[in-house]
Amino acid sequence: LTLRLLREGVVDGLRIDHPDGLADPAGYLARLREATDGAWVVVEKILAGEEELPDDWATAGTTGYEALWRVQQTFVDPGGAAQLGSVMHRLTGDVSDAFEEVEEQAKREIVDGPLYAEVHRLTNLAAAICHDDLRLRDHTWRALEDCLVELLVAFDRYRAYVVPGEAVAPTSAAVLAAAGARARRRTGPEREATMDVLLDLLAGREAGSAGRTRDPRRDELVVRFQQTCGAVMAKGVED
């Protein structure tokens, strides 16, 4: 239907909602460009901090949240911050610099509640991978779950864009490493080895026996972890 509407000229372009929820955003956008003969396409995506769109996405750009935020600031009087902060503190007890704590608490509520089934599935995948490799059998289900939960809470953006079988971009590797460093502060030294293995698996690197980088479960773990990251951010932070 979408392609027919484009061919008939009913619509001139497409807005792709939340591509981070897809298994392969870059692959989807590439297929869409081919199927539409290069139609004008933008993506609805929240860029966190200094994050930029991946270079390999076939898109004209985002729907403009980051630009709208900057335009909106011209209509906001910063002098009102103190009064609003006072009201917030009176109603909630929060102080003006408490957002990081609130964000972490919200993420944990989502991970422990609505997304528990997804976390459970990720842990089962990781545990099965470890069980099938003699070099990884020391990593228990509970240790893997602890590390996965802390990584999901520690992620500061929607996903890292690791594609099974493809080289990991430097930006993606840096995002994973930074999340790992934050997560380690919560898991402690007793989970250090498990966190190392999990980060290797999530980056598609060799983990366990020599030469083991890919199989259906490892690929699924890479993809599903990123989709779950996006859901944690959307439900825990955005909502």
Side-chain angles (χ1 to χ4, degrees):
L1 173 62
T2 303
L3 298 179
R4 179 168 62 81
L5 292 174
L6 280 165
R7 286 195 301 269
E8 294 175 356
V10 178
V11 296
D12 298 311
L14 301 173
R15 171 197 188 274
I16 306 303
D17 187 81
H18 188 45
D20 285 335
L22 297 170
D24 180 14
Y28 172 81
L29 291 169
R31 293 192 298 276
L32 185 63
R33 170 170 285 183
E34 182 177 355
T36 61
D37 294 324
W40 188 82
V41 170
V42 292
V43 291
E44 184 263 345
K45 170 170 170 54
I46 293 175
L47 296 170
E50 299 300 314
E51 181 185 8
E52 297 182 358
L53 279 179
D55 293 336
D56 59 349
W57 281 22
T59 176
T62 73
T63 49
Y65 291 154
E66 63 282 352
L68 183 61
W69 178 82
R70 288 170 172 81
V71 172
Q72 178 179 292
Q73 299 313 297
T74 64
F75 298 96
V76 175
D77 178 5
Q83 185 175 355
L84 287 172
S86 175
V87 172
M88 179 181 70
H89 181 68
R90 187 172 74 250
L91 295 177
T92 69
D94 292 337
V95 292
S96 59
D97 61 351
F99 182 75
E100 288 188 6
E101 182 180 338
V102 173
E103 178 181 317
E104 179 182 332
Q105 179 184 345
K107 283 182 173 182
R108 291 190 185 279
E109 289 178 7
I110 294 299
V111 166
D112 293 339
L115 291 179
Y116 175 76
E118 286 300 317
V119 178
H120 191 85
R121 182 168 186 165
L122 287 171
T123 307
N124 281 343
L125 272 171
I129 292 167
C130 290
H131 180 268
D132 287 350
D133 191 324
L134 285 172
R135 293 181 178 272
L136 299 178
R137 285 186 181 175
D138 287 343
H139 303 287
T140 65
W141 196 97
R142 177 55 60 84
L144 290 163
E145 183 191 42
D146 288 347
C147 290
L148 279 165
V149 166
E150 295 305 328
L151 276 173
L152 288 168
V153 172
F155 245 73
D156 65 352
R157 59 194 64 196
Y158 279 68
R159 61 190 290 168
Y161 306 110
V162 178
V163 179
E166 296 184 10
V168 180
T171 51
S172 297
V175 167
L176 275 172
R182 288 188 290 271
R184 288 179 202 275
R185 293 197 285 269
R186 293 287 189 178
T187 55
E190 69 276 7
R191 296 286 190 249
E192 192 78 18
T194 301
M195 185 68 77
D196 288 342
V197 167
L198 192 56
L199 287 170
D200 284 341
L201 289 173
L202 294 175
R205 294 190 291 261
E206 181 179 281
S209 299
R212 290 201 178 186
T213 57
R214 294 197 63 192
D215 62 44
R217 281 184 301 203
R218 290 183 182 227
D219 289 358
E220 184 179 355
L221 180 65
V222 169
V223 171
R224 283 192 176 277
F225 175 78
Q226 293 182 83
Q227 290 179 293
T228 306
C229 276
V232 172
M233 286 291 289
K235 300 292 99 182
V237 182
E238 183 182 345
D239 287 1

